[in-house]
Amino acid sequence: MNATTLRVLSPVPTDIDIANSVEPHHISVIARKLNLNPNHYDLYGKYKAKVLLPVIDELKGTKDGFYVVVGGITPTPLGEGKSTTTVGLCQALGAFLDKKVITTLRQPSQGPTFGIKGGAAGGGYSQVIPMDEFNLHLTGDIHAITAANNLLAAAIDTRMFHESTQSDNALFNRLCAPNKKGNRRFNDVMHKRLKKLGITKLKPEDLTLEEVKRFARLDIDPETITWRRVMDVSDRFLRKITVGQGLDEKGLARETGFDISVASEIMAVLALTTSLADMRHRLGKMVIGNSRDGEPVTADDLGVGGALSVLMKDAINPTLMQTLEGTPVFVHAGPFANIAHGSSSIIADKIALKLVGPGGFVVTEAGFGSDIGIEKFMNIKCRYSGLRPQCAIIVATIRALKMHGGGPPVIAGKPLDPVYVTENVALVEAGCTNLARHIRCTKAYGVNVVVAINQFSTDTDAEIAVVRSAALAAGAYDAVLCTHHAHGGKGAINLGIAVQKACESATGSFNFLYPLDASIEDKIEAIATSYGACGVEYSKQAKKQIKMYTKQGFSGLPICMAKTQYSFSDNPAAKGAPTGFVLPIRDVRASIGAGFIYPLVGTMSTMPGLPTRPCFYDIDLDTVTGKVKGLS
């Protein structure tokens, strides 16, 4: 299949106009390019397909291609173009450098799409298409996560309701009700609870009264429940709600709230799972709170782990799409980059690495700057996947470096200060301290680092030269100017060449930031030190939670720091490369099913709000053509 030839216009049209100007290939054409036949995928319309898990087993003997992760410097609220760079690089590798390449990206939430940020399909002439399908329902994975999450939420409140109104024997008799033949038995999920309790008896009638009580009564402490309901819409008025106000639930009202769907632990489970069996195991061991005796209560304790797996059985298959220039894309999972690890799925990466094979490239993206995104990619995702990247890209813009050099605040929705659109070499040079720290932190993992300078029309040669010089001085393998937003893959050819050389010269060495058997505190402090902190301060609540998780046997999990993306420190206003600060840990929570502990540095909102003028003002449907208008 020949690459799609782009007709590039200047000035660059809107993203949706560019996306609508290119007729996508039927997805079966993209699949054939990867040697996938119709038995390997299920079609979802003409331009999307779910690639099925057995592909991994068929390709087991094939060697992997090169693995590349894209991160960035500490961003402005406008973003610095990581997704656009990821897509543009892959268009360059596939359409111009004749390499086998697959892009692996997160599925975006509809919250930001209709809110303040817009979509996440890339931008300009480096996009995933159809862009509207990518940014909206896609193949329904987020809807499946929403349904599964809320089923578990309903199971929690319902279980507390029934336990409050029934005796131990009544509960037990209903849980182990006789089948049509009059026989009572434990079903599969109940055996998991029996094993957890150390009860080896196989028949319900053999349990003692004490064992009946322990099995049937979870005795959930409402004050410890961490599981909340979710929806894929930004709605600030659902951040705090009261449930149980109906007449039938009298006396059981409690405060809870909604998160946005991508903040659900089930999304993180999907992103970190390695197989159907692994997903079932992770979903079942998700902890929703504690009993009044301090024991963790899981989804399997509630009997719902199997049902959650059924709701997620199709979502585990990655979605195949394409770029504007006809290169393949896997879209799969979209965990929050703050309270979760912010990377697309392990399964998509593993399938992609086999499909491209030796000499091919899989390029994936890590959320936010490298202090959050690449750190979590390396220490969480790579631990569970067993995969090791050969190259990491750090995307930088002159605009963001000027901000880090002391420029005025960059505020989404407001015009840029003139300093950002006129030459100021001194400001750029001062801001390169931020870039240098990101390079050094990323090199510490043992990978080659290539800096992608994402060029804007107002950037000058002198400013670009300063960035390139600073990047090389900080240890970057190369620093390359890119114009992929304006020119598509053609504008990222030099980046593609640099990435290829960086991968081919990789030593194969790899270092984690901390060992898993270190204490929770030691792991937190290792990450804080990489930020430039001189120490860590724990609140009373954080100390209590660390003690509890250690007692419960969860201290061997990796750490997922939940902190602002706008600074190395906890203070979003501290730009550049701050040092000597003490990192405050307000609270410590856990996603046991996903497999990480997440300390809260400051306050993290898990349900965005809509701005005064949301993006939905611009979005409409052309009722003549059926095409979407105004999506960005």
Side-chain angles (χ1 to χ4, degrees), residues 89-109:
L89 168 61
C90 290
Q91 291 179 181
L93 288 167
F96 290 89
L97 298 175
D98 199 28
K99 301 297 178 184
K100 233 180 174 181
V101 62
I102 298 177
T103 317
T104 60
L105 294 175
R106 288 183 292 170
Q107 179 184 355
S109 165

Side-chain angles (χ1 to χ4, degrees), residues 520-522 524-525 536-540 542-543 546 585:
I520 292 174
E521 293 95 332
D522 284 349
I524 290 172
E525 285 154 27
V536 176
E537 182 178 70
Y538 299 93
S539 71
K540 186 177 179 181
K543 290 177 181 178
I546 289 171
I585 306 298

Side-chain angles (χ1 to χ4, degrees), residues 148-159:
N149 185 101
N150 293 343
L151 175 62
L152 179 51
I156 295 165
D157 286 310
T158 299
R159 185 58 171 262

Side-chain angles (χ1 to χ4, degrees), residues 1-8 12-25 30 33 84 87-88 90-92 95-96 103 121-131 321-329 484-489:
M1 185 195 84
N2 294 326
T4 304
T5 302
L6 287 179
R7 180 169 169 266
V8 174
V12 179
T14 65
D15 290 349
I16 189 66
D17 286 344
I18 293 172
N20 285 339
S21 72
V22 175
E23 182 64 29
H25 298 283
I30 304 297
K33 188 176 181 181
T84 305
V87 175
C90 290
Q91 291 179 181
F96 290 89
T103 317
Y125 287 100
S126 296
Q127 293 187 57
V128 180
I129 55 173
M131 185 258 257
M321 296 187 74
Q322 63 193 286
T323 67
L324 285 168
E325 297 188 80
T327 61
V329 181
H484 45 274
H485 183 274
H487 302 116

Side-chain angles (χ1 to χ4, degrees), residues 195-411:
K195 183 178 180 181
K196 176 180 175 179
L197 296 172
I199 299 172
T200 58
K201 297 168 184 175
L202 301 178
K203 296 180 180 179
E205 57 267 26
D206 291 341
L207 268 62
T208 65
L209 290 177
E210 178 59 25
E211 289 170 337
V212 164
K213 179 178 181 178
R214 292 176 62 216
F215 172 82
R217 195 165 293 280
L218 301 181
D219 199 24
I220 298 169
D221 181 354
E223 296 298 318
T224 67
I225 295 172
T226 54
W227 199 265
R228 290 153 58 96
R229 289 162 173 82
V230 300
M231 65 187 305
D232 197 33
V233 173
S234 296
D235 190 343
R236 68 177 69 245
F237 284 90
L238 292 177
R239 289 171 179 166
K240 191 173 184 179
I241 64 169
T242 303
V243 295
Q245 296 192 83
L247 291 176
D248 291 339
E249 292 77 42
K250 189 174 182 181
L252 292 172
R254 67 179 183 91
E255 282 191 353
T256 179
F258 273 77
D259 296 330
I260 198 159
S261 294
V262 293
S264 171
E265 183 177 349
I266 296 176
M267 177 62 90
V269 166
L270 177 65
L272 291 171
T273 196
T274 55
S275 67
L276 204 55
D278 182 53
M279 183 177 74
R280 170 63 185 88
H281 176 67
R282 288 174 180 269
L283 290 172
K285 70 176 184 177
M286 293 187 303
V287 173
I288 60 89
N290 295 330
S291 70
R292 285 186 169 86
D293 288 335
E295 293 298 317
V297 178
T298 68
D300 273 343
D301 287 330
L302 286 155
V304 74
L308 302 182
S309 303
V310 169
L311 286 170
M312 293 294 294
K313 71 180 180 64
D314 295 322
I316 197 172
N317 300 309
T319 299
L320 178 64
M321 296 187 74
Q322 63 193 286
T323 67
L324 285 168
E325 297 188 80
T327 61
V329 181
F330 277 154
V331 187
H332 201 212
F336 243 33
N338 274 326
I339 65 164
H341 63 291
S343 297
S344 59
S345 78
I346 287 172
I347 282 176
D349 289 358
K350 285 197 163 190
I351 294 175
L353 285 163
K354 296 297 183 187
L355 288 173
V356 300
F361 294 81
V362 171
V363 184
T364 192
E365 183 186 348
F368 297 137
S370 70
D371 55 322
I372 299 180
I374 287 182
E375 184 274 310
K376 294 176 182 179
F377 175 89
M378 300 294 190
N379 290 303
I380 299 175
K381 185 175 180 179
C382 288
R383 282 189 199 271
Y384 285 121
S385 69
L387 302 173
R388 305 289 184 263
Q390 287 77 41
C391 174
I393 296 170
I394 296 189
V395 178
T397 62
I398 301 296
R399 176 182 66 196
L401 292 171
K402 285 180 176 179
M403 178 189 71
H404 288 296
V410 175
I411 301 171

